[in-house]
Amino acid sequence: MYYLGLLIEYLKNYMKTRLTYRADFWVEVISDLLFQATNFIFILVIFMHTDSLGGWNQNEVVFVYGFFMVPFGVFSCFVNMWGFSERYIVKGEMDRVLTRPAHNLFQIFLENVDPPSLVGSFIGLVVMAISGSNLGLPFEWWTLPMLILLTLSAVAIYTGIYTTLTSLSFYSDAPTGILPLMYNIQTYGRYPVTIYNRAIQVLLTWIIPFAFVGIYPAALFLHRDEMRTMALLTPLVGVVFLSIGLMAWSFGVKRYKGAGS
Amino acid sequence: MLGAYFDFIRIRFLTMLAYRVNYYSGILIYTLNIGVNYFTWKAIYGNGESLGGFTGAQMTTYVAVSWMARAFYFNNLDREISTDIRDGSIAIQFIRPYNYVLVKMMQGLGEGLFRFMMLMIPGMVIAILLFPVQLPTEPSAWAGFLVMLFFSFLISSQINIITGLSAFFVENNEGMMRMKRVVVDLFSGLIVPITLFPDWLSSVLKVLPFQAITYLPGSVFTGRVQGVGIWNVLGIQVIWFLILLIPIVWLNHAARQRLFVQGG
C-alpha cells in the first residue's frame, strides 16, 4: 500500500515535470514508435520477398511482434535502468537513495518511470488484434487472463536480465556499454527461434531468455502446439530470472561504497 | 595548432583503452548480431537464389561487413554534445582557443580508431571463422573499402554532431537522438539492404545521406558494385560530406548567439 502511494506520487511528479517540456512528450512517443517501426518495416520488407520465415507466415510473425510490444512497453514504462551507472554511481545519487526507507531498487524504478512507453503496448495490442483477426484466431476464455499472465512474466524476464546487467556497474566503475547492445539482441526473440542454429537457440532460450518475451508466449495464442510447453514455462522463467536479478542487485548494493564527494 | 587536435585523438584513444573491458563484451555481442542476422537471412532465402540482386553468400558478407563497419563508425558524439550543452560546460569550451566541433570530431576519430582495432578487427576475424563470409582478395577493393569506411565515419559523425547541436534549440533532445539512431540504422541499410525496400522508398533513400554510411560501402565490398561504380560511390560520399558541413557550420554559428545555460 505504501509502495502504491509512492508510485502515485511519483507519477504526479512525473506529470508536472513533463508539462514543462510538453513538446518533448510527443517527440518521445514518436521516437519510441519509430524504433518499433524499424523492426516492423523489417518484417514487412522480408515478406515482400518470401512467403514464410521458418514456416511462419506474415500474419503470424506480425502477431508475434504485436505481442512482443506489449510487455516491452510495460517494462520500459516501469523499469527504466538506462543510464543508471552515470546517474547513480558516478554522480553519487545512490547515496541519497540508500538513506531513504523504501527499497532502493524500487525507488530507482520510480524515479525513472516513463509512461509514454505504454503507447507502444497499446499499439502492440492493436497489431495483435488486426493480425489475429486476419488469421481467424479464436478468442478463448483463457485468452485474456493468459495474456496478462504472460505479459507479466515477460516483464519479469526483462527486469531480471536488465537488473542483473545493471548491477554489474557496482563492480566496475566503467560505464557499461552492454545495455545498448542488449537492446539489439532482445528483438531477435520475436522471430521463430527454430531458424537459428542450436547455439543461438540455447542462448535465446536459457541464457538471455529473450525468446520468452516474444515467440514462445505468442505461439500459445497462435495455437502453435510445438511451442506450447515453452509458452507455459514462461512464468517459471520469469520467476527464476527475476530472482537472479534481485539477488545480483542486493549483492551489488552490499558491495557499494559510494563514490567521490 | 594542428598538433593540439591530434592530441585529442590520442587522448580519447587512451581513455577508451582504460575502459577496454567493455569491448570484449562488445565483440561478443556484435558477433551475435551478425549470427542472428545471418540465420534470419538464411531462413528468408530458403531455396531462393537471389534477393534484390544479392546472392545468399553476398548477403552473408554484406551483413558481416555492415555490422563491423558500424563497430567502427558508431559513436556517441550526439550524446556528448547535448550533455555539454545541458550542463553548461559548453560555455567554457566555446571560449577556449579551439573549434569545438572539430575537437568533437577528433575525439570521435580517437574512439573510432580504438573501436577499429579492439572491436572491428577481432570481431571480423571471429565472424569469418564462424560464418561463410567471402571477402574480396584484390588489394584495391580493400584500399577502396578503408577510404569509404573513413567517409562512413565522417558522415555518421556529422549527423551525430547535427543531432547533438540541436540541443541548443529544443532543450531536451533525447527523443531526437533516439530517432536519429533508429533512422540511421534502418535507412543506412544496416538492417535491410536498400535494394530490398519497396521501389518508392528506395528511391527516396537514394537522395538521403544515410545510404552513404553503410549501404554503398557494403555494396562495393561485397562485389556488387565494381569498376567505375566504385568512384561513383566515393563521389556520393564526398558530396554528402561537403553538404553536411553546411548545417554544422550554421548550427555552430547560430548556437553561439543562442547559448543560454540552464542552471549550473
Side-chain angles (χ1 to χ4, degrees):
Chain A
M1 223 35 232
Y2 166 65
Y3 283 102
L4 193 67
L6 275 181
L7 176 64
I8 291 166
E9 285 306 315
Y10 269 101
L11 283 175
K12 272 191 206 156
N13 245 337
Y14 172 85
M15 287 316 290
K16 284 180 205 155
T17 46
R18 257 310 149 92
L19 287 174
T20 41
Y21 291 120
R22 211 168 300 196
D24 206 50
F25 178 87
W26 292 108
V27 174
E28 193 182 332
V29 169
I30 293 167
S31 73
D32 265 1
L33 293 181
L34 209 66
F35 172 69
Q36 306 290 359
T38 12
N39 303 316
F40 209 75
I41 292 170
F42 183 66
I43 295 173
L44 297 182
V45 170
I46 284 178
F47 281 101
M48 283 170 58
H49 300 275
T50 179
D51 298 328
S52 99
L53 184 61
W56 297 60
N57 66 34
Q58 176 165 7
N59 271 312
E60 287 174 315
V61 175
V62 168
F63 183 91
V64 173
Y65 192 64
F67 175 83
F68 169 84
M69 287 175 81
V70 177
F72 182 66
V74 176
F75 162 75
S76 322
C77 171
F78 293 104
V79 184
N80 191 345
M81 315 274 271
W82 199 264
F84 170 81
S85 167
E86 286 78 14
R87 182 173 165 192
Y88 290 91
I89 307 277
V90 178
K91 292 205 176 132
E93 289 205 34
M94 196 65 201
D95 298 344
R96 171 178 58 81
V97 169
L98 286 175
T99 53
R100 292 180 176 174
H103 188 268
N104 52 65
L105 185 59
F106 187 71
Q107 281 185 65
I108 288 164
F109 288 165
L110 283 181
E111 288 180 358
N112 294 294
V113 280
D114 187 40
S117 309
L118 286 176
V119 177
S121 297
F122 178 73
I123 305 244
L125 289 174
V126 174
V127 169
M128 278 169 88
I130 294 172
S131 54
S133 77
N134 285 346
L135 286 165
L137 288 182
F139 195 90
E140 318 263 8
W141 61 269
W142 48 262
T143 304
L144 208 56
M146 216 48 188
L147 182 64
I148 295 171
L149 175 69
L150 293 179
T151 301
L152 291 178
S153 316
V155 173
I157 293 172
Y158 277 125
T159 311
I161 294 174
Y162 282 100
T163 309
T164 311
L165 290 177
T166 308
S167 56
L168 289 179
S169 47
F170 289 115
Y171 298 92
S172 105
D173 48 352
T176 45
I178 304 177
L179 249 52
L181 291 168
M182 214 37 116
Y183 262 66
N184 280 323
I185 310 266
Q186 73 190 13
T187 53
Y188 300 132
R190 59 175 208 262
Y191 296 116
V193 281
T194 38
I195 64 173
Y196 302 133
N197 89 344
R198 200 75 199 116
I200 296 181
Q201 282 187 41
V202 170
L203 183 83
L204 284 176
T205 306
W206 304 116
I207 300 170
I208 34 174
F210 285 132
F212 283 104
V213 303
I215 188 82
Y216 290 148
L220 188 72
F221 303 107
L222 287 168
H223 296 268
R224 280 278 186 159
D225 291 339
E226 74 270 26
M227 287 186 180
R228 187 191 287 149
T229 328
M230 295 312 258
L232 296 175
L233 270 179
T234 311
L236 187 67
V237 177
V239 170
V240 169
F241 274 81
L242 186 60
S243 320
I244 295 175
L246 293 178
M247 256 151 47
W249 181 266
S250 51
F251 276 124
V253 170
K254 274 196 200 114
R255 211 177 164 281
Y256 173 75
K257 296 209 178 60
S261 48
Chain B
M1 189 58 216
L2 210 59
Y5 286 108
F6 280 114
D7 278 342
F8 282 107
I9 302 180
R10 192 174 58 87
I11 292 168
R12 176 58 70 93
F13 187 91
L14 294 174
T15 317
M16 300 301 290
L17 205 58
Y19 291 137
R20 65 180 167 278
V21 180
N22 275 335
Y23 282 84
Y24 302 139
S25 59
I27 294 171
L28 206 70
I29 287 171
Y30 267 87
T31 312
L32 193 61
N33 269 312
I34 293 174
V36 172
N37 275 296
Y38 165 70
F39 288 111
T40 312
W41 284 111
K42 216 169 119 174
I44 296 164
Y45 270 86
N47 296 320
E49 289 291 297
S50 123
L51 287 184
F54 278 93
T55 63
Q58 280 178 339
M59 186 60 91
T60 306
T61 309
Y62 179 86
V63 167
V65 169
S66 305
W67 276 95
M68 282 307 152
R70 184 184 192 270
F72 166 67
Y73 68 67
F74 181 85
N75 56 43
N76 285 315
L77 289 185
D78 50 348
R79 191 161 297 278
E80 291 173 26
I81 294 173
S82 76
T83 310
D84 281 352
I85 292 172
R86 267 190 283 177
D87 67 13
S89 66
I90 198 159
I92 303 293
Q93 307 231 35
F94 267 176
I95 56 172
R96 286 190 184 145
Y98 54 58
N99 182 314
Y100 175 72
V101 172
L102 199 54
V103 165
K104 282 289 156 204
M105 204 67 168
M106 291 298 170
Q107 290 176 335
L109 187 57
E111 183 172 339
L113 288 175
F114 174 83
R115 287 165 150 270
F116 183 77
M117 285 196 246
M118 305 298 269
L119 185 52
M120 185 176 163
I121 292 181
M124 203 69 207
V125 171
I126 294 174
I128 291 170
L129 292 176
L130 289 179
F131 312 110
V133 177
Q134 290 170 352
L135 296 179
T137 42
E138 55 293 15
S140 61
W142 283 88
F145 181 67
L146 287 179
V147 174
M148 285 175 200
L149 194 61
F150 182 65
F151 273 97
S152 299
F153 159 79
L154 288 177
I155 294 169
S156 150
S157 303
Q158 283 177 313
I159 293 173
N160 282 349
I161 289 172
I162 293 170
T163 318
L165 286 177
S166 73
F168 272 115
F169 303 91
V170 288
E171 269 106 83
N172 186 350
N173 65 342
E174 189 64 34
M176 270 191 72
M177 288 193 288
R178 278 203 279 175
M179 248 195 262
K180 182 229 74 191
R181 197 179 171 134
V182 168
V183 166
V184 169
D185 279 354
L186 181 67
F187 289 165
S188 69
L190 176 72
I191 299 172
V192 188
I194 287 172
T195 44
L196 294 190
F197 282 125
D199 290 338
W200 64 271
L201 187 57
S202 53
S203 54
V204 171
L205 293 180
K206 285 205 171 78
V207 295
L208 292 175
F210 309 111
Q211 58 158 352
I213 299 175
T214 306
Y215 175 67
L216 295 179
S219 300
V220 170
F221 208 55
T222 48
R224 288 187 63 246
V225 175
Q226 284 166 334
V228 192
I230 297 177
W231 291 103
N232 286 338
V233 168
L234 203 57
I236 294 173
Q237 284 191 314
V238 173
I239 289 170
W240 275 114
F241 168 70
L242 295 174
I243 294 177
L244 288 173
L245 284 178
I246 300 168
I248 292 179
V249 170
W250 178 79
L251 272 171
N252 192 31
H253 179 77
R256 281 165 192 271
Q257 328 287 262
R258 250 194 81 96
L259 175 62
F260 69 99
V261 176
Q262 304 184 59

